[in-house]
Amino acid sequence: MTTSNPRDESGSLRPELEGAAFQADPHAVLRRLTESAAAHRCEPAGAPPQLLITGYEAARQVLTDPRVSKRSERAGLEPGWLMSGVRDEVGIDYMLTVDPPDHTRLRKLVTRAFTPQQIEALRPRTREISEGLADAVLAVETPELIDGFAVRVPIAVICELLGVPLGDWDRFRWASEQIVSPVAGSDREEAYVWMSGYLAELIAGKRVEPGPDLLSALANDTVEDALTDQELVGMAFLLLIAGYETTANLIGTVLLGLALQPDLFETLRADPALVPTAVEEFVRLDGPVLTATERFAIEDMRIGEVPVRRGDMLLVSLAAANRDPARYEEPDSFRLGRSAGHVAFGHGVHHCLGAPLARMEATVAVTALLERVESLELAVDAAELEWSPGLLMHGVRRLPVKVTVSGSTNSR
């Protein structure tokens, strides 16, 4: 593998990562980078130097290396730099923005909701939600499976888990879209301010009238290292956004894959026990997050043979790592039952806490659709589908389909 960059030091790589070709097919762009080097330097104007990490082994190194921090100030930079190349003036600290031991403490306090036993306890209610939403979306002449289904399943589940009124979700969804937007602006600041204020008020209410939900439990913790008010807001902020955005993308990706692969659709419909295995391969092939959130080198180091300087922002391309030909045979192909691990949910101490919940929700939601339809195909050309913009999230934004509902002679 060569150590030379496919782009020069002027930062010409960054526009390519933000261009139309990348949006249309990020994997094609990332494949060229992966085959040329493990890391690729780009220098956005007015922002810290950045390296995009593309190789599987390089990704695992960066995600676990103690010389890499989530705190830019530990790398000699101003605090709050974002992967978009701008500074976040109103950001909220939460698990994704801190290092151990702070991260260890925060994660320990919330892990109670994500044990295998707790996830299984949520399965019946998730099935009930999924089946109701499936019936509703399939009653439409041309079902649209993202807003009508893939988004609504995890929204309902995370709201119940945290104790957030489902009726407030439209505003939360707007705020979430602004916060994960690839371009920071006044709307992002407004979203941060609104969401933090709303959550602070909600948490205060749960101290007075607690319910059987996670936020009530956290707000009324009596342990010595219980979350502070600010930490509670940050935790709720993270769990709400991560708890629906990534899972919605994952469900949408699986349903799109089934619409494009009729043989796989038939295989899973005949044997629903294979759905979890299919979900796992779709997570690797088209995971819900393209690039892990920003990290910073706190000392000089090397990634493979590529030199890294203290103060460099490191952006780990999970999508590229999961299709690294040095790791996977025929990495762009879907293989039911592929055994090799992936980094779609991260790696190391910041491995996604909600990954078991996302897997369960996707499995239950997809199974609910499979039980109700005999055929599934796109209602538009695949080239017309629109994907989430930017380097962070990856998911199809609309998925209109034609289906034959089980027990019906009519196609929709």
Side-chain angles (χ1 to χ4, degrees), residues 330-341:
E330 297 184 0
D332 296 325
S333 299
F334 180 96
R335 285 190 177 182
L336 191 63
R338 188 190 293 266
S339 60

Side-chain angles (χ1 to χ4, degrees), residues 240-258:
L240 270 171
I241 293 179
Y244 105 86
E245 188 95 32
T246 53
T247 306
N249 287 345
L250 173 56
I251 295 172
T253 293
V254 177
L255 295 177
L256 171 60
L258 296 182

Side-chain angles (χ1 to χ4, degrees), residues 138 265 269 369-370 372-377 401-412:
L138 293 173
F265 173 86
R269 191 164 176 271
L369 256 296
L370 287 169
R372 285 160 171 76
V373 297
E374 296 178 0
S375 66
L376 175 70
E377 60 181 294
V401 295
K402 294 185 286 186
V403 299
T404 300
V405 179
S406 298
S408 171
T409 58
N410 297 323
S411 296
R412 295 176 184 158

Side-chain angles (χ1 to χ4, degrees), residues 24 27 144-146 149-150 248-262 264-265 282 285-286 323 334 366 369 376-387 394-401:
H27 298 294
E144 198 288 287
L145 296 183
I146 300 302
F149 184 72
N249 287 345
L250 173 56
I251 295 172
T253 293
V254 177
L255 295 177
L256 171 60
L258 296 182
L260 294 174
Q261 300 180 64
L264 177 62
F265 173 86
F282 276 119
L285 194 65
D286 254 324
R323 294 196 183 199
F334 180 96
V366 170
L369 256 296
L376 175 70
E377 60 181 294
L378 288 179
V380 297
D381 189 279
E384 298 178 33
L385 295 175
E386 181 183 359
W387 292 79
H394 182 60
V396 64
R397 304 185 84 172
R398 292 187 70 256
L399 188 60
V401 295

Side-chain angles (χ1 to χ4, degrees), residues 308-387:
V308 178
R309 302 186 290 260
R310 181 174 188 259
D312 282 344
M313 179 188 288
L314 306 179
L315 304 177
V316 177
S317 175
L318 304 176
N322 283 334
R323 294 196 183 199
D324 185 348
R327 171 67 180 180
Y328 303 101
E329 185 179 352
E330 297 184 0
D332 296 325
S333 299
F334 180 96
R335 285 190 177 182
L336 191 63
R338 188 190 293 266
S339 60
H342 58 73
V343 292
F345 290 115
H347 181 60
V349 297
H350 287 283
H351 180 271
C352 178
L353 180 68
L357 177 61
R359 288 181 168 108
M360 184 275 286
E361 288 181 86
T363 296
V364 170
V366 170
T367 301
L369 256 296
L370 287 169
E371 290 172 346
R372 285 160 171 76
V373 297
E374 296 178 0
S375 66
L376 175 70
E377 60 181 294
L378 288 179
V380 297
D381 189 279
E384 298 178 33
L385 295 175
E386 181 183 359
W387 292 79

Side-chain angles (χ1 to χ4, degrees), residues 272-294:
L274 293 174
V275 172
T277 304
V279 167
E280 204 63 31
E281 176 67 343
F282 276 119
V283 171
R284 180 200 68 83
L285 194 65
D286 254 324
V289 178
L290 279 177
T291 311
T293 50
E294 57 277 350

